[in-house]
């Protein structure tokens, strides 16, 4: 299989990944009505995925360094899809929390896997485009899936939505294993990776890496809103009917899809023409984060078309900034790619814990205006992080020196 076939496999896997993350948002109205759940309880259900997903990012990244992707990826894909199916069989708040946490457990290594696959199969000057293609799966897939998922629920109910979603993923896990092959890797990369406490500490605390971690958390704020509360916002706050909201919800996802592809391919084109990495890689991300702040504009209009326009601009910006995984490859030492990727997604994944819960409290009186302002402020903080904390983009080095320093601290 060539690298573009591999990229297609990753793209489809990302579509399924995000389908299983977000079908809860489509089901939320019917589910909360049948089980009599409050907005705070729904916020906790939305965030439960992020509890385990974020906590297990570092172990997940280490697993990616230790286990062949061809074995690890189909296993986690089948497992999270099975739990997705089980969601359609439960009937309590506690069971839903447990299922969402279990999905977070098994999805945790997925993005470090994606990043490792692209890093192994694509040269650096094509990598942002490849990241953009597979990342676009979370946007274009959901743009077309939102109407499809709302239709499935209208026919089969929220339980049928979970069961059908789960079956799709379980079948795809077998197809993925059958089609994918690991690339030949250099001999020096075939040893078993071992980490010290100092390696983990350095990966978590290096200033440049902390900058991209913080920005990824802020970037996740906009994404998580669209993956969780967005359908509820359209139906309950903006008063749209359920089926119509499914179609309108697809528009911002299409905008995000356009943003991520534009960002990836323009970024690669600038890199190939010799422009600095700050311009080629960082500029689209900073611009995208700034545009994400446009979400607050929806607070100042009652016109549905303008609401969708502001949300689409914001999600377009989120798409522009979604090539941020490229900074893991650019900054991380090669032998710690999975570890740094795990830390990156750990901090970024915390947004899936914090944001849905905060929104759940902010909208208890039915007013989404404070929630949109909160998302806009996060995007502003993210852009400042790249500008003032990350600084110059260059490979970091921490293992040997930091191990010595860490040992001395412990000895003292």
């Amino acid at each position: 299989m060539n690298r573009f076939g591999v990229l297609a496999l990753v793209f489809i896997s990302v579509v399924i990944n995000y389908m299983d993350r977000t079908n809860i948002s489509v089901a939320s109205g019917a589910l909360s009505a049948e089980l009599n759940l409050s907005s705070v309880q729904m916020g906790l259900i939305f965030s439960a995925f992020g509890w385990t997903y974020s906590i297990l990012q570092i172990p997940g990244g280490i697993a990616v360094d230790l286990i062949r992707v061809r074995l690890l990826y189909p296993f986690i894909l089948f497992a999270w899809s099975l739990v997705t199916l089980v969601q359609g069989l439960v009937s309590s708040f506690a069971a839903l929390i447990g299922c969402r946490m279990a999905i977070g457990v098994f999805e945790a290594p997925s993005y470090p896997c994606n990043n490792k696959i692209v890093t192994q199969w694509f040269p650096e000057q094509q990598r942002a485009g490849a990241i953009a293609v597979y990342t676009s799966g979370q946007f274009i897939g959901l743009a077309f899936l939102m109407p499809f998922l709302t239709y499935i629920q209208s026919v089969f109910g929220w339980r049928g939505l979970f069961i059908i979603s789960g079956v799709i993923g379980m079948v795809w896990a077998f197809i993925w294993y059958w089609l994918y092959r690991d690339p030949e890797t250099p001999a020096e990369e075939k040893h078993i990776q071992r980490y010290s406490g100092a390696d983990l500490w350095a990966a978590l605390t290096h200033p440049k890496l902390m900058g991209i971690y913080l920005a990824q958390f802020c970037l996740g704020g906009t994404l998580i809103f669209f993956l969780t509360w967005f359908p509820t916002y359209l139906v309950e706050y903006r008063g749209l009917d359920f089926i119509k909201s499914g179609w309108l919800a697809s528009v911002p996802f299409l905008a995000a899809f356009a943003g991520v592809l534009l960002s990836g391919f323009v970024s690669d084109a600038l890199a190939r023409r010799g422009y600095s990495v700050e311009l080629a890689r960082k500029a689209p991300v900073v611009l995208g984060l700034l545009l994400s702040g446009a979400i607050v504009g929806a607070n100042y209009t009652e016109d549905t078309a303008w609401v969708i326009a502001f949300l689409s601009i914001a999600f377009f910006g989120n798409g522009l900034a979604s090539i941020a995984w490229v900074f893991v490859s650019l900054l991380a030492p090669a032998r710690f790619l999975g570890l740094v990727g795990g830390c990156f997604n750990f901090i970024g994944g915390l947004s899936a814990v914090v944001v849905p819960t905060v929104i759940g409290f902010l909208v208890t009186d039915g007013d989404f205006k404070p929630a949109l302002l909160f998302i806009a402020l996060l995007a502003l903080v993210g852009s400042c992080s790249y500008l003032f904390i990350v600084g110059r983009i260059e490979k970091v080095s921490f293992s040997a020196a930091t191990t010595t320093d860490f040992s001395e601290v412990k000895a003292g």
Side-chain angles (χ1 to χ4, degrees), residues 122-129 264 267-269 271-274 281:
F122 286 83
E124 196 280 325
Q125 289 190 334
Q126 296 179 6
R127 205 167 289 156
S267 178
D268 276 350
R272 285 194 296 270
R273 293 179 184 179
R281 303 307 196 198

Side-chain angles (χ1 to χ4, degrees), residues 348-361:
L350 288 176
S351 63
V353 178
V354 175
V355 172
T357 305
V358 171
I359 292 176
F361 282 99

